[in-house]
Amino acid sequence: MSADHQTLALLLFSVFVAVTLGITTWVSRHRQGSAEEFYAGGRLFSPMENGFAIAGDYMSAASFLGVTGLIALFGYDGLLYVVGFLVAWLVVLFLVAELVRNCGRFTLADVVAARMRERPVRIAAGTSSVTVSVLYLVAQMVGAGSLVALLLGRTGEAAQAWTVIGVGALMVIYVSLGGMRATTWIQIVKAVLLLGGTVVLTALVMVRFHGDLDRLLLTAAERSGHGDAFLAPGLRYGGGWTARLDFISLGLALVLGTAGLPHILSRFYTVPTARAARRSVIWSIGLIGGFYLMTIVLGFGAAAVVGPDAVRGSNAAGNTAVPLLALDLGGGPDSTAGTVLFAVVAAVAFATILAVVAGITLASSASVAHDLYASLRRPGGRQRSEVTVARVAAVGIGVVAIALGLLARDLNVAFLVGLAFAVAASANLPVLLYSLFWRAFTTRGAVWAVYGGLLPALVLVVLSPVVSGSPDSLFPGADFQFFPLQNPGIVSIPLGFLAGWLGTVISPELPDAAKHAETEVRSLTGAGAV
């Protein structure tokens, strides 16, 4: 790209950053001192507003950049992410949304602690929530680095490093100054921009192929170099029993992990009632469903128009497929239309990353302050307000996410999100479902369910090909790989449920029937909900 093209792309991105910083500054003038204001935006958002914000939170860099890249490179097998993300929302709608809104205040730990001893449960759930959030943040950082390398025409480590640092700094500003209210409006603006950009690109792809979807698919298969195999299962997950198990493991993680994501669960607390929470999810399902259907067209469009070889040449993991597609659809790198379209898509992708990063950082800093700090502080010591601790925690989490993002910069962002989903499904989902639906569940069972899923998931990732033992791993020069699968979900998710059951049945503690009855009535009717 020429210097003029790069300048236009950076200008559009700068406009979005200026608008979002303006929103944050405007919101920061309102009182953000109370926990309800900072964590839940005063619970003042309508179902439609919250539905757009949930969609903005969920449609991350993994969706816009990573999923389309995987479809462009692997065809049919890349569709697994689309199916997993879509089906996951049915789990959220029917099992989680309304019940979580009724039982909690700000975090996942609130739901579990409603009928358990608070301190051990909050420490366990808070630790798990922060871990999942950091893993999810890493994926967004990697997406930011890939995008700026293409935007600036520089693939050096320094350019990517400064981009990741810049994104980290912005997310700390959004969260520490604006809290949930600013984050929600940033999500809404980003969702509108992302959906608008995706609609335009999808329409242009279909115009290029005269509305003939068959022709699009056949052209993609032809340019892929794999022929009909590009449109059939097995290109990525068909190499043997290990690849097939990886396929199942990833599917389980994607379908079950959404209901355990802290930044998604926290969005249910920003509306005034449980009915509003359920309507928010219905709004978000429509928006997210339409978006993911369009990513299928964009993925195959990138394979047909740009070609997998060109996509790999720009970024080995496929993270730049959509910007390259936009450039080509507009007429190429030397055309004004191509430049404008590329710049718009790049700006939207950056907006996506910034907005999702802000939501995740807020959720994780809330877990640190509301769960970990509140449980670990000494009664006689100097006390700081939860909001102050959350703002400090946002800085610390940002530093950790930046460091890990620099380390994992060569991995596909959708793949990285798959790991975060696996940890969420292993550690957060078992304790959440047991707390809501199992009468005999105890405090020991809750703690064991969290750690029984969290620790195996993390250990298996460290011992997997993701970290060592292959040319594409984080440490290609080392080899301490003992677990053959790239996604641990097929092992760690059952272990989380098993640990929760085992901890409960061997616990000397008798379940509190009165508290369970109170929680059950509250979860189903909303009586007594905050």
Side-chain angles (χ1 to χ4, degrees):
M1 291 181 62
S2 68
D4 291 340
H5 299 169
Q6 293 171 4
T7 302
L8 179 59
L10 289 172
L11 179 62
L12 288 173
F13 170 60
S14 300
V15 169
F16 175 81
V17 172
V19 169
T20 52
L21 286 175
I23 292 172
T24 305
T25 304
W26 173 71
V27 169
S28 66
R29 294 177 179 175
H30 296 77
R31 188 172 61 88
Q32 297 283 326
S34 71
E36 185 168 300
E37 281 284 339
F38 188 78
Y39 295 147
R43 311 188 201 279
L44 299 175
F45 292 98
S46 69
M48 185 184 75
E49 291 170 345
N50 199 44
F52 270 87
I54 290 173
D57 232 342
Y58 197 64
M59 297 183 302
S60 67
S63 305
F64 193 52
L65 301 177
V67 171
T68 49
L70 286 173
I71 295 174
L73 297 180
F74 300 104
Y76 184 94
D77 279 8
L79 293 177
L80 173 63
Y81 286 87
V82 175
V83 175
F85 288 146
L86 280 176
V87 174
W89 270 108
L90 298 179
V91 178
V92 174
L93 176 61
F94 291 117
L95 291 181
V96 172
E98 188 171 350
L99 305 183
V100 165
R101 174 62 187 82
N102 284 338
C103 289
R105 291 184 66 216
F106 307 124
T107 64
L108 165 71
D110 289 336
V111 180
V112 184
R115 48 178 294 216
M116 309 291 174
R117 284 186 290 117
E118 283 205 31
R119 192 170 188 271
V121 166
R122 285 195 180 278
I123 292 172
T127 301
S128 173
S129 295
V130 172
T131 304
V132 172
S133 297
V134 169
L135 284 173
Y136 210 107
L137 279 173
V138 170
Q140 311 309 313
M141 297 299 189
V142 170
S146 301
L147 195 62
V148 81
L150 180 65
L151 188 63
L152 300 177
R154 300 172 185 173
T155 56
E157 294 181 6
Q160 295 190 34
W162 282 110
T163 302
V164 170
I165 292 169
V167 170
L170 282 171
M171 77 183 187
V172 170
I173 293 171
Y174 291 150
V175 172
S176 59
L177 291 182
M180 179 59 85
R181 190 172 295 180
T183 300
T184 299
W185 282 111
I186 291 169
Q187 299 285 16
I188 292 170
V189 172
K190 167 254 172 151
V192 172
L193 289 175
L194 182 59
L195 288 168
T198 308
V199 167
V200 170
L201 285 181
T202 303
L204 290 175
V205 169
M206 296 310 297
V207 167
R208 173 71 66 93
F209 291 92
H210 306 289
D212 190 342
L213 191 59
D214 285 343
R215 185 180 170 191
L216 167 63
L217 297 176
L218 291 174
T219 306
E222 182 182 342
R223 291 205 63 182
S224 71
H226 299 286
D228 291 341
F230 191 71
L231 303 178
L235 197 59
R236 180 180 173 94
Y237 297 107
W241 69 269
T242 302
R244 291 184 174 88
L245 283 178
D246 239 338
F247 182 91
I248 297 171
S249 185
L250 177 62
L252 284 172
L254 295 180
V255 170
L256 300 178
T258 301
L261 292 176
H263 66 291
I264 297 298
L265 294 177
S266 67
R267 294 237 57 92
F268 299 136
Y269 301 125
T270 62
V271 289
T273 64
R275 184 169 180 266
R278 181 175 286 271
R279 289 174 60 197
S280 296
V281 176
I282 293 172
W283 268 99
S284 63
I285 285 177
L287 297 170
I288 292 168
F291 170 76
Y292 279 115
L293 290 176
M294 289 186 287
T295 60
I296 298 174
V297 177
L298 296 184
F300 283 111
V305 175
V306 181
D309 292 338
V311 172
R312 281 193 184 92
S314 171
N315 181 271
N319 294 329
T320 55
V322 172
L324 290 175
L325 174 64
L327 192 63
D328 205 306
L329 289 173
D334 296 323
S335 66
T336 302
T339 302
V340 171
L341 199 55
F342 173 88
V344 169
V345 168
V348 167
F350 255 107
T352 297
I353 292 167
L354 286 176
V356 173
V357 157
I360 302 167
T361 305
L362 179 61
S364 52
S365 62
S367 293
V368 171
H370 187 62
D371 299 327
L372 296 178
Y373 173 75
S375 300
L376 295 174
R377 64 186 176 187
R378 291 174 300 184
R382 182 186 174 194
Q383 305 298 321
R384 297 179 182 273
S385 74
E386 277 190 19
V387 174
T388 301
V389 175
R391 288 178 168 137
V392 174
V395 178
I397 290 164
V399 171
V400 173
I402 287 169
L404 292 175
L406 294 175
L407 186 65
R409 61 180 174 271
D410 294 326
L411 296 181
N412 182 277
V413 288
F415 169 74
L416 286 170
V417 164
L419 295 181
F421 273 60
V423 177
S426 304
N428 291 347
L429 186 65
V431 71
L432 183 60
L433 294 184
Y434 279 150
S435 297
L436 291 172
F437 300 110
W438 190 14
R439 184 183 302 273
F441 199 43
T442 64
T443 300
R444 177 182 290 182
V447 173
W448 282 30
V450 173
Y451 292 127
L454 177 64
L455 296 179
L458 295 178
V459 169
L460 291 177
V461 168
V462 171
L463 300 179
S464 74
V466 176
V467 176
S468 71
S470 72
D472 300 326
S473 61
L474 291 180
F475 303 105
D479 188 0
F480 44 88
Q481 171 197 340
F482 293 99
F483 183 66
L485 305 183
Q486 293 188 332
N487 192 291
I490 196 171
V491 176
S492 57
I493 295 172
L495 283 178
F497 281 98
L498 179 62
W501 171 82
L502 184 62
T504 297
V505 297
I506 68 171
S507 173
E509 173 190 357
L510 293 176
D512 191 326
K515 278 191 175 181
H516 173 266
E518 179 185 341
T519 303
E520 187 174 40
V521 171
R522 181 174 168 182
S523 67
L524 294 175
T525 66
V530 177

